[in-house]
Amino acid sequence: MKKFNKTSLLLLKFSIAACLFACNNAEKKAESKSETKATDSLQEYVDKRLTIYEKVKLTTNLNALTVSERKVLPLLIEAAKIMDELFWKQAYPQRDSLLNTLKDEKTKQFIWINYGPWDRLNGDKPFVNGIGPKTETGTFYPAGMTKEKLEKSDVKDKLGLYSVIRTEKDKLISVPYHVIYATELQRASSLLKQAALLTDDPGFKKYLNLRADALVTDNYKASDYAWLDMKNNGLDIIIGPIENYEDKLFNARAAFEAYVLVKDKVWSKRLAKYVSMLPELQKGLPVDPKYKKEVPGTDSELNAYDVVYYAGDCNAGSKTIAVNLPNDEEIQQKKGTRRSQLKNAMQAKFDKILVPIAKELIDKDQQQYIKFDAFFANVMFHEVAHGLGIKNTITGKGTVRSALQEQYSWLEEGKADILGLYMVTGLLKKGELTGDIKEYYTTFMAGLLRSVRFGASSAHGKANMQCFNYFKEQGAFERTAGGTYKVNFEKFATAMNGLGNLIITLQGNGNKLAVENAQKSKGIIGAELQGDLDRLSKKGIPVDIVFEQGVDVLGMK
């Protein structure tokens, strides 16, 4: 990977100047024209790509907070900011030196959005002169290291969630996060301890103290259990190294992130009943009985929140609008998970992105079925559906995650998409949901067209493309002569069950090669679809949102 620092840039300018001095006037003009074109090509790219983001202010009703919650909230935001700095160290530690070499303010802005010089919503394409492709090793492994080298080594913690692999005296070693990032984690831990002293809620107090300890020890299990035990908290913070998407080599090591949340108690009360229905829904999965013997945990929390701060991994690339955690399979089976619906961010994406997409790409006769309640339910049950299916292979290969390694995340996201739709279908039939199935299916279709614009390089992008291509093959929708998409509601349900069967079977078998082949054949964007997505860009419809956030935006300064 080439990087420019100030010294190398000065040497480059000196060399160009010397060359120009020696050349004739005709050569000068040709070289100058060529150089300007090369520079402008990247700046043109950045100018266009910046327009795909819509700015959204993250706010909430502060009047609903207690006195102690008003004191705690700024401390949580400060702790979240530290996670943001830590993610920069993981994603692109040369940030400051790169920014100092650049003059174009829009390029700098795009670097901040992407946490580095690669466009996360366009296959990690480099957008800064001199920057090469993004490596699979990133900062998690030594540059150039292969999977085979690590697998054959005797290093401890080869696929650890909370460590990096380094070379010391020609030998691979594992270094824990709490060692390599000790200073920052200690500061974040201290802030959580301060917040714990101020909160009135006993469950939240316990969680904050245990999470503070976890940050400086890498022992997160106790805090995860305490987090699931919280019932009456008005505030929440998801903080630490959590998701594995940034590790492109093994999909093993976790990246730092944080969400600061304010509970919507009215909506949360409405959602509480659905988790208890998981065991019954598990039994009805459209798959061979041997793949659905596991019993989902039912002690999960299903809540709606206003999110007031995103930091780190969750703020890079496409913005998360619902969260299902913890990822620990043992905890999921024993206790369940907490599904957090980020309602204000979800509403922003619906209003500013999904509705305009539907007006352009959904058949005119079906646009009436695009509804926020359907969008909310589809996203919510995506997160709930992570609890369905299978966590351990039936072939003796251990957990699905360990068997599929870097192929795990995209297939799991695909499972959640399709089983979430399966849940919606089942609950409507039982009368547990209201509305017309046409609303949920049409809004799901529009949601697919929204999400595939994130590109096929991310886990969610691959999952969406697998669904789109499979549904297309099954005739679940048709592309009309007018260039719009029309859902076939009967075939949509059949395709939903077929894809659900395929994904759960792939997971249960733990056959990594078969999953790789599925991704290569289905996780791609075809020329016709790309042309339709380009139409959205030409119309100026944003792809995603970026946030104006913090205590000043909330009006707490």
Side-chain angles (χ1 to χ4, degrees), residues 24-127:
N24 61 36
N25 289 335
E27 289 171 331
K28 284 181 184 179
K29 291 178 182 177
E31 187 169 337
S32 175
K33 185 176 180 181
S34 175
E35 186 181 343
T36 300
K37 186 178 179 181
T39 302
D40 287 347
S41 66
L42 288 179
Q43 289 180 351
E44 281 178 21
Y45 176 84
V46 169
D47 290 349
K48 289 178 181 178
R49 295 295 289 171
L50 268 177
T51 63
I52 72 172
Y53 292 95
E54 181 82 10
K55 283 187 178 179
V56 171
K57 285 187 177 181
L58 290 181
T59 59
T60 191
N61 179 16
L62 294 177
N63 293 327
L65 301 183
T66 66
V67 173
S68 68
E69 286 170 345
R70 284 172 175 266
K71 294 177 181 177
V72 168
L73 191 54
L75 293 172
L76 302 183
I77 291 174
E78 282 304 306
K81 288 179 179 179
I82 295 172
M83 296 303 108
D84 203 65
E85 286 301 313
L86 286 173
F87 182 67
W88 268 108
K89 288 191 172 186
Q90 291 180 307
Y92 196 73
Q94 307 92 342
R95 177 193 67 190
D96 292 344
S97 61
L98 176 63
L99 291 173
N100 288 337
T101 66
L102 297 172
K103 292 183 179 179
D104 182 60
E105 291 302 320
K106 289 185 176 180
T107 301
K108 291 181 181 181
Q109 186 181 347
F110 206 46
I111 287 170
W112 281 107
I113 289 173
N114 285 281
Y115 287 79
W118 300 284
D119 188 347
R120 288 175 178 267
L121 300 191
N122 189 21
D124 287 324
K125 177 177 176 147
F127 57 85

Side-chain angles (χ1 to χ4, degrees), residues 55-60 307 344 348 352 546-549 553:
K55 283 187 178 179
V56 171
K57 285 187 177 181
L58 290 181
T59 59
T60 191
V307 55
N344 56 342
K352 296 181 181 296
V546 290
F547 303 117
E548 295 178 8
Q549 57 181 0
V553 175

Side-chain angles (χ1 to χ4, degrees), residues 225 228 282 293-300 326-337 387 389-393 399:
Y225 277 115
L228 292 175
Q282 173 84 350
K293 290 181 179 179
E294 296 174 3
V295 180
T298 57
D299 195 23
S300 300
N327 287 326
D328 188 315
E329 288 92 346
E330 179 186 334
I331 297 176
Q332 288 180 3
Q333 289 188 318
K334 287 183 179 179
K335 193 80 173 174
T337 58
I390 192 164
K391 303 295 181 187
N392 297 289
T393 64
T399 66

Side-chain angles (χ1 to χ4, degrees), residues 3 12 30 69 124 157 202 205 239 279 385 394 434 457 512 547:
K3 304 180 186 68
L12 179 62
E69 286 170 345
D124 287 324
D157 203 28
K205 184 186 295 287
I239 185 168
I394 64 168
T434 59
S457 66
K512 184 180 171 185
F547 303 117

Side-chain angles (χ1 to χ4, degrees), residues 290-423:
K290 64 185 177 183
Y291 293 100
K292 53 183 178 181
K293 290 181 179 179
E294 296 174 3
V295 180
T298 57
D299 195 23
S300 300
E301 285 284 298
L302 184 56
N303 294 304
Y305 294 89
D306 279 340
V307 55
V308 295
Y309 205 87
Y310 283 76
D313 192 29
C314 62
N315 197 38
S318 58
K319 306 303 182 293
T320 303
I321 52 178
V323 184
N324 176 53
L325 292 169
N327 287 326
D328 188 315
E329 288 92 346
E330 179 186 334
I331 297 176
Q332 288 180 3
Q333 289 188 318
K334 287 183 179 179
K335 193 80 173 174
T337 58
R338 182 184 293 272
R339 282 92 175 194
S340 306
Q341 314 304 306
L342 312 184
K343 190 165 145 283
N344 56 342
M346 205 179 292
Q347 185 76 60
K349 289 204 180 192
F350 180 81
D351 293 339
K352 296 181 181 296
I353 302 174
L354 191 134
V355 170
I357 286 174
K359 287 180 179 177
E360 180 68 22
L361 291 184
I362 295 297
D363 188 78
K364 191 174 182 179
D365 292 339
Q366 294 186 345
Q367 288 179 16
Q368 61 184 306
Y369 300 127
I370 303 298
K371 304 287 186 181
F372 176 73
D373 282 355
F375 180 59
F376 184 88
N378 287 340
V379 175
M380 174 179 69
F381 287 112
H382 165 103
E383 298 305 330
V384 177
H386 278 297
L388 290 175
I390 192 164
K391 303 295 181 187
N392 297 289
T393 64
I394 64 168
T395 53
K397 296 180 180 178
T399 66
V400 175
R401 183 186 293 272
S402 62
L404 299 185
Q405 294 181 348
E406 77 280 359
Q407 295 294 326
Y408 169 80
S409 289
W410 81 267
L411 192 64
E412 175 62 21
E413 293 303 331
K415 181 204 81 173
D417 279 341
I418 209 67
L419 293 192
L421 195 63
Y422 156 81
M423 289 186 70

